[in-house]
Amino acid sequence: MTTAMGAALRRIQLGSALSAFGNGFTVPFTFVYVSQVRGLGAGTAGVVLATFAVAALFVLPFTGRIIDRRGPVPVAVAGTVLAAAGSLGLGLSGSEPVVIVAAGALGAGFSVVQPALATMIVWCSTAATRSRAFAGQFFLTNLGLGVGGLIGGLIVDTAHPSSFIRLFAIEAAMFLVLGAVISTVRLPHAPHVTRADQAALPEGRTAGGWRVLAGDRSLVMVCALGFVMFFACYGQFESGLSAFAVEVTRISPATLGVALAANTAVIVLAQFVVLRLTETRRRSRVIAAVGVVWTVAWLVAGASGLVHGSHAVAVGAIIATYALFGLGEAMLAPTVAPLVADLAPARMVGQYNSAFALVKQLALALGPAVGGVMAAAGAYGAYIGLLVASSLAVSAMALRLARHLTPGQDSPHHPSRIVTGSRPTTETPAAPVH
């Protein structure tokens, strides 16, 4: 069983890397493509980017229950087909309504795939190996994005719209490759809801659903923590932080690209070093340390805007900011996703993953909006202050969360760890533990 699980996990991670490779071809260039190459304007380009998030918010509330009922493989395959259709539609369409519909299909398909893949990783790993499995996926995803972005930059040419069609066609093909790879994965059998499971639930609740999720205080706290994390970091990359770097620190767009490359490089180079340092430590304390790292990152970013005598020092500070964010991301990869999985009863892994994905998407939608508004108003001092406070809140919330986790949930290698789930006396493991 262990060998079969390992083979399935490798296929999932390979497919994820290829899909990310395809995403890298288009993610940096979508705004320019819609606004300039297709001539639809910056307003339409903004609507297209917003549509990605809105589509995810529509489908994620239903995705988890379908995953738990039908299994993650058919859901993931369906998501890849929908995402491929959306990507190809973006490359071929030239009118505003069609571009927006295509963006919605791409956003919906991509958002469906993510919790399905996360559930597959849970089923293909054990309590002891889950952190390493998620870290491996995060590493390969970022490597794929980086390589795809580099190659896409060599292909793209704003004077030739056909070059963008090639980019979106490559992305669509990679989604289909992911679907083909995933369809060959053989997973452990999905856990079934028994009458004992039903009896163990509070009166008036069915086996699953949002009422059960909301009743799990540990999950609610993790979701609140996740919202602040994604708002304070990931939600700022393409809005407030880049605007601050260009407008206040006065770096060039090319240098901003170097800073983004530094972020990816730290993730790729440091992931497994960080994994060895964090996988045997309490998850809550690792997350609290991430809050400290990001607090330093935002303070360094703020300092870059105060260095007027040496532009090189200011540029170095911005690059260091992005690198520190990468370090924090590498620490979170083997920590947060496995924690969400370990909180879930076996029969609800898909719903727990989807709930966390929904909160993440809300933060990724709100973060750029807040950052963009504050940047447009020139309130950069207040902006840095807000993100410093948010990063400190991550540390405080993580330490508070620790009081609501069992030793096995907080420490993946704790000796008492036998089963997965927040209710170990009534639930079975999400995957066999060997």
Side-chain angles (χ1 to χ4, degrees):
M1 178 67 76
T2 300
T3 301
M5 289 169 63
L9 180 61
R10 286 191 291 273
R11 291 189 182 188
I12 295 167
Q13 292 177 329
L14 173 62
S16 297
L18 292 173
S19 175
F21 174 71
N23 293 150
F25 277 85
T26 64
V27 168
F29 313 111
T30 301
F31 188 92
V32 173
Y33 167 73
V34 174
S35 63
Q36 298 181 18
V37 177
R38 288 301 183 186
L40 298 177
T44 300
V47 171
V48 166
L49 295 179
T51 301
F52 290 130
V54 172
L57 298 181
F58 272 105
V59 299
L60 281 173
F62 312 102
T63 300
R65 180 164 288 193
I66 298 174
I67 290 172
D68 290 332
R69 288 181 175 178
R70 303 296 182 184
V73 172
V75 175
V77 171
T80 60
V81 172
L82 182 59
S87 181
L88 195 59
L90 273 173
L92 296 176
S93 59
S95 64
E96 180 176 346
V98 178
V99 167
I100 294 173
V101 170
L106 176 56
F110 185 79
S111 62
V112 165
V113 169
Q114 298 313 301
L117 288 178
T119 302
M120 293 174 74
I121 292 174
V122 172
W123 288 7
C124 291
S125 61
T126 67
T129 64
R130 193 156 296 140
S131 293
R132 189 166 291 270
F134 276 102
Q137 186 203 30
F138 186 72
F139 166 81
L140 291 172
T141 297
N142 279 276
L143 182 62
L145 279 170
V147 174
L150 287 174
I151 299 177
L154 298 176
I155 295 175
V156 70
D157 184 351
T158 56
H160 296 87
S162 61
S163 67
F164 285 87
I165 296 176
R166 285 196 292 272
L167 296 184
F168 284 103
I170 291 171
E171 181 183 43
M174 289 299 100
F175 275 122
L176 294 178
V177 168
L178 171 61
V181 171
I182 291 302
S183 67
T184 66
V185 173
R186 297 295 176 261
L187 296 172
H189 293 295
H192 296 286
V193 181
T194 66
R195 292 183 178 180
D197 292 328
Q198 293 279 7
L201 292 172
E203 184 178 355
R205 292 184 179 179
T206 60
W210 287 98
R211 291 181 62 191
V212 175
L213 297 175
D216 188 333
R217 186 173 182 182
S218 296
L219 175 67
V220 172
M221 294 181 71
V222 169
C223 286
L225 175 60
F227 180 88
V228 178
M229 286 192 301
F230 285 101
F231 175 86
C233 178
Y234 300 88
Q236 305 305 321
F237 277 165
E238 297 179 4
S239 57
L241 180 56
S242 58
F244 181 90
V246 172
E247 297 294 331
V248 179
T249 311
R250 303 294 182 184
I251 72 171
S252 66
T255 305
L256 186 59
V258 173
L260 287 167
N263 174 266
T264 301
V266 169
I267 292 172
V268 171
L269 296 175
Q271 181 63 81
F272 292 105
V273 175
V274 170
L275 175 63
R276 285 195 294 270
L277 295 174
T278 61
E279 65 179 345
T280 59
R281 288 169 170 79
R282 293 176 61 181
R283 287 166 170 166
S284 58
R285 291 184 179 178
V286 173
I287 298 172
V290 171
V292 174
V293 171
W294 285 352
T295 298
V296 174
W298 283 115
L299 291 174
V300 171
S304 73
L306 302 176
V307 178
H308 303 296
S310 176
H311 184 65
V313 173
V315 169
I318 284 294
I319 294 176
T321 296
Y322 278 86
L324 286 168
F325 282 133
L327 177 61
E329 292 173 72
M331 295 168 67
L332 288 178
T335 306
V336 177
L339 175 58
V340 173
D342 289 347
L343 290 175
R347 57 188 169 73
M348 294 183 65
V349 174
Q351 293 177 71
Y352 272 58
N353 283 327
S354 293
F356 190 78
L358 177 61
V359 170
K360 171 184 174 180
Q361 198 61 48
L362 286 169
L364 292 179
L366 185 60
V370 172
V373 168
M374 297 186 77
Y380 290 110
Y383 175 74
I384 294 296
L386 171 64
L387 276 306
V388 167
S390 297
S391 299
L392 291 173
V394 168
S395 297
M397 294 171 73
L399 294 176
R400 183 181 179 188
L401 172 66
R403 300 198 294 267
H404 298 274
L405 301 176
T406 67
Q409 291 165 352
D410 202 13
S411 301
H413 291 273
H414 192 275
S416 66
R417 177 133 193 174
I418 299 175
V419 298
T420 298
S422 55
R423 303 161 187 83
T425 58
T426 60
E427 301 292 350
T428 57
V433 178
H434 301 277

